[in-house]
Amino acid sequence: MTNADFEKLVDTSDEWITTRTGIKERRIADDKMTSGDMAVEACRRALEMANCPREEIDLLVVGTVTPDYRLPSCACVVQEKLGLPNAVAFDVVAACAGFISGLSIASSFIESGAYKKILVVGTEKLSAFTNYKDRNTCVLFGDAAGAAVVAGDNGDRGILSTYLKSDGRMRPLLWAQVGGTANPYTPDFQFNGSDKIWMNGSDVFKVAVREMADAIRKVLDKAGVKASQISLVVPHQANIRIIEALAKRLKVDMSRVYRNIEMFGNTSAASVPLALDQANRAGMIKEGDYVAMVAFGGGLIWGAALVRW
Ligand code: UT7
């Protein structure tokens, strides 16, 4: 969907969306395609790229807030469709920080020796969860999936450090109030947007900039790496102004910060792996580079991961 499409739906303009968010287009999955379907495709390509047989995957972690069903997990759907006979599969509900949370879980499990090859995927069909009557939110979101195979045999390369933090007191800043056990659907539920994403954008904006910068500093400190050594920052793509403010706080030039928000909008848990994959395929990451990933989302929850490529 382009900004012109939104001009027909709500009181907005290409000019407002471009200058306030940096978004020009988003990808919208068709009616029949689920988050699980997108995850299967992303996992298939990640396994191919890693030259990893499906039988070797012993854990699948799916970051999503838009699972195919209320029960079971999206991960179990993906396990069945992809065919991972030797894995245990579960979801992580960490909104836009879903992929970073998955990486952190994978890294800890590998360090402990519990699992050896782990598939981490972020997948979201946010279009199913978006109120297309609310101009404050509808222009922001898109659908996508991205995946990575995490393994523990790369010497001094791989995930060097991760950091996760949440503050549940701020959950009313970004939530969908109706549809859970707190406010279940009633037989006479009438659509008013309360079961879709609602956000206080400007408050979330301020916390996002502060905490994403802090999260990156935390993973750098843990690994004994300086901000000046980072080759590429791969931030969650929520708003170009957030990304620019983050770069300024870290004193990292924008040429070292990956952006694809213009084409995809905010794809929640899929945002970081999608950006990482595009940056990698564009040849922007070389062996030995320090890559810092960072994300922030509903919860509120945020986190970062530092990788030596
Ligand atoms: O991924 C999870 C984390 N999410 C984020 O990090 C998102 C963080 N927030 C943001 O990216 C920005 O806050 C938004 C893009 C959501 C909004 O930008 P803003 O500069 O913070 O605008 P605002 O919410 O302060 O609204 C400014 C004005 C308001 O009008 P009034 O009240 O000043 O008359 C809004 O109603 O802009 C209006 N507005 C719009 N106008 C045209 C809000 N959305 C639109 C729109 N088109 N689509």
Side-chain angles (χ1 to χ4, degrees):
M1 285 177 85
T2 64
N3 291 349
D5 294 326
F6 283 94
E7 287 174 346
K8 290 176 210 139
L9 279 180
V10 288
D11 180 14
T12 191
S13 65
D14 174 44
E15 201 268 332
W16 192 95
I17 301 171
T18 307
T19 54
R20 305 308 293 165
T21 72
I23 302 167
K24 284 281 189 191
E25 296 176 10
R26 321 96 190 114
R27 271 61 210 162
I28 306 295
D30 69 34
D31 285 350
K32 290 208 178 76
M33 181 171 280
T34 67
S35 294
D37 294 333
M38 289 188 283
V40 167
E41 185 57 25
C43 289
R44 195 184 61 70
R45 293 192 202 180
L47 287 168
E48 205 176 277
M49 204 176 200
N51 203 12
C52 174
R54 287 162 200 223
E55 293 71 25
E56 288 185 10
I57 296 295
D58 43 19
L59 172 63
L60 166 68
V61 183
V62 177
T64 189
V65 288
T66 53
D68 294 20
Y69 305 102
R70 301 275 298 281
L71 181 77
S73 67
C74 190
C76 283
V77 175
V78 176
Q79 175 179 28
E80 186 263 323
K81 289 194 176 175
L82 192 62
L84 300 174
N86 300 315
V88 60
F90 58 79
D91 287 0
V92 174
V93 183
C96 309
F99 181 76
I100 301 276
S101 302
L103 279 188
S104 183
I105 290 166
S107 171
S108 303
F109 269 135
I110 284 175
E111 268 171 36
S112 76
Y115 299 101
K116 291 197 163 47
K117 285 203 175 164
I118 302 175
L119 247 179
V120 180
V121 53
T123 186
E124 301 284 12
K125 190 176 183 181
L126 287 181
S127 59
F129 205 38
T130 295
N131 178 1
Y132 285 98
K133 292 185 171 153
D134 176 14
R135 71 174 183 173
N136 292 293
T137 54
C138 71
V139 300
L140 305 173
F141 303 117
D143 302 332
V149 178
V150 182
D153 52 4
N154 270 348
D156 61 350
R157 294 190 291 130
I159 301 170
L160 302 182
S161 55
T162 64
Y163 169 77
L164 296 172
K165 182 77 175 65
S166 62
D167 186 342
R169 289 172 301 180
M170 290 190 276
R171 68 187 185 279
L173 295 181
L174 173 47
W175 65 350
Q177 286 190 63
V178 170
T181 50
N183 301 300
Y185 283 111
T186 53
D188 56 350
F189 176 76
Q190 302 238 321
F191 179 79
N192 59 6
S194 55
D195 61 337
K196 306 287 185 200
I197 305 169
W198 183 91
M199 176 166 66
N200 177 333
S202 53
D203 281 1
V204 172
F205 190 113
K206 288 171 214 146
V207 188
V209 174
R210 188 181 71 224
E211 298 300 350
M212 285 205 291
D214 184 62
I216 290 195
R217 284 193 202 107
K218 290 257 180 4
V219 291
L220 288 172
D221 284 352
K222 268 195 206 177
V225 173
K226 295 190 195 78
S228 57
Q229 290 175 272
I230 302 175
S231 300
L232 196 67
V233 178
V234 181
H236 171 49
Q237 310 284 311
N239 188 315
I240 192 66
R241 292 184 294 131
I242 293 180
I243 296 173
E244 285 164 355
L246 173 69
K248 205 170 160 190
R249 273 194 181 223
L250 292 171
K251 298 192 174 62
V252 169
D253 191 81
M254 277 299 275
S255 60
R256 291 194 282 140
V257 181
Y258 191 75
R259 292 95 76 193
N260 64 4
I261 188 169
E262 183 174 331
M263 275 185 74
F264 297 100
N266 180 346
T267 58
S268 183
S271 159
V272 168
L274 185 66
L276 183 69
D277 183 57
Q278 281 208 313
N280 183 37
R281 285 177 199 270
M284 293 172 73
I285 312 175
K286 298 182 299 300
E287 203 172 302
D289 277 357
Y290 290 107
V291 178
M293 295 171 249
V294 64
F296 184 94
L300 298 177
I301 180 164
W302 55 92
L306 183 67
V307 168
R308 184 118 204 242
W309 201 256

